[in-house]
Amino acid sequence: LLRRISNLAERIHDIEYSADGTRIAVASGTPGQLGELKLFSTADGKLIRTLVRSRDSIFAVAFSPDGQLIATAAGRVVRLWNGQGMLVREYAKHRATVTDLRWQPGQARLCTTSYGGVTVFDPGQEKPAQTFSWQGSSLTARWSPNGKYIATGDQDSTVHFWITKTGRDLMMSGYPAKVRELSWDSASRYLATGGSKE
C-alpha cells in the first residue's frame, strides 16, 4: 500500500490520474446526496481541494491530455473545470444520462456517450463539434491513439466504431453481455473488447 485516501463520499464512481501523475481526481456521491469531485496529491495522498459539489452524483471524470481541464458528467450534464475548481463551461443537457467521458489522445477534444450515440466537444465552443448518432445506449468509449476512430461498448451487447473524419459507422455484434471493456493497441490497429457474462 503506497497511499490511503480518505474523506470521500460513500460511493466512488470514477478515479482518474492526471497525465503527469501528480494528481488524482475522485468522483463520488450517493443517491439523494451531493456528488463530489475531489483532487488529491499522489505525493502524499492529501486533499488539494474539493473542486465540485453537485446535486447529482458525479459518475465520470477525465483530465485533458495537458492536465489543464477536468471534465465531469453528472446526470445529463457535462461540465469543464480548471485546476482551481472554477467552472469553464457547462454544455447543454444531453438527451439521456452521460455514461462516459474520454479526451482524444494528445488533443483537446472530448467525446461523451449516452443514449443516442457519441458527442464530440471542443472546449472553446459551446455547441458540439461532431455527433455520431445511433439509436441505442452506449456505455463506454475509447478513441484510437491516432484519433481516427471512436469505439463504443453498448448496452445491447454490440461494439460500434465511427470513422471520425467521415462519420461512417461499423458494428460488431454477438457478444453474450453488454460491452463495458475496450482497449486499443498503440498503433490503432487492434481493439480488445469485453462482453462476457463471467
Side-chain angles (χ1 to χ4, degrees):
L1 179 66
L2 295 177
R3 299 284 183 271
R4 183 183 299 276
I5 293 174
S6 56
N7 299 319
L8 297 171
E10 181 179 327
R11 187 176 301 168
I12 295 172
H13 298 296
D14 200 10
I15 298 174
E16 176 89 353
Y17 274 91
S18 61
D20 62 7
T22 62
R23 294 166 294 162
I24 300 173
V26 181
S28 60
T30 53
Q33 297 182 8
L34 289 176
E36 290 184 336
L37 177 66
K38 292 187 174 184
L39 201 61
F40 295 89
S41 167
T42 57
D44 54 16
K46 291 183 179 179
L47 177 68
I48 299 172
R49 63 179 57 88
T50 299
L51 295 179
V52 184
R53 282 194 169 90
S54 168
R55 287 180 294 177
D56 298 310
S57 287
I58 300 169
F59 283 99
V61 57
F63 278 98
S64 62
D66 63 6
Q68 299 302 305
L69 294 173
I70 303 172
T72 61
R76 296 189 294 148
V77 178
V78 172
R79 298 179 176 94
L80 295 182
W81 311 84
N82 64 22
Q84 288 70 49
M86 301 296 292
L87 181 65
V88 175
R89 189 174 302 282
E90 179 176 315
Y91 293 105
K93 287 184 178 180
H94 286 58
R95 61 185 292 189
T97 298
V98 178
T99 53
D100 201 9
L101 299 166
R102 298 287 167 175
W103 292 91
Q104 182 179 348
Q107 301 290 326
R109 292 210 306 161
L110 177 73
C111 80
T112 67
T113 56
S114 64
Y115 182 88
V118 175
T119 306
V120 178
F121 295 96
D122 179 332
Q125 302 175 0
E126 290 188 10
K127 294 183 178 180
Q130 288 180 290
T131 55
F132 302 113
S133 299
W134 173 65
Q135 293 303 311
S137 182
S138 297
L139 303 175
T140 188
R142 295 293 186 279
W143 291 85
S144 61
N146 62 12
K148 292 182 178 180
Y149 311 102
I150 296 175
T152 63
D154 305 315
Q155 179 79 28
D156 65 352
S157 306
T158 64
V159 171
H160 266 76
F161 301 86
W162 279 272
I163 301 171
T164 57
K165 186 175 182 178
T166 65
R168 180 186 176 195
D169 71 301
L170 307 166
M171 185 182 75
M172 294 193 306
S173 59
Y175 291 89
K178 63 186 72 173
V179 180
R180 293 185 179 275
E181 300 84 23
L182 299 171
S183 182
W184 289 92
D185 79 311
S186 60
S188 304
R189 183 175 181 181
Y190 300 108
L191 177 71
T193 63
S196 172
K197 293 181 179 180
E198 299 181 6

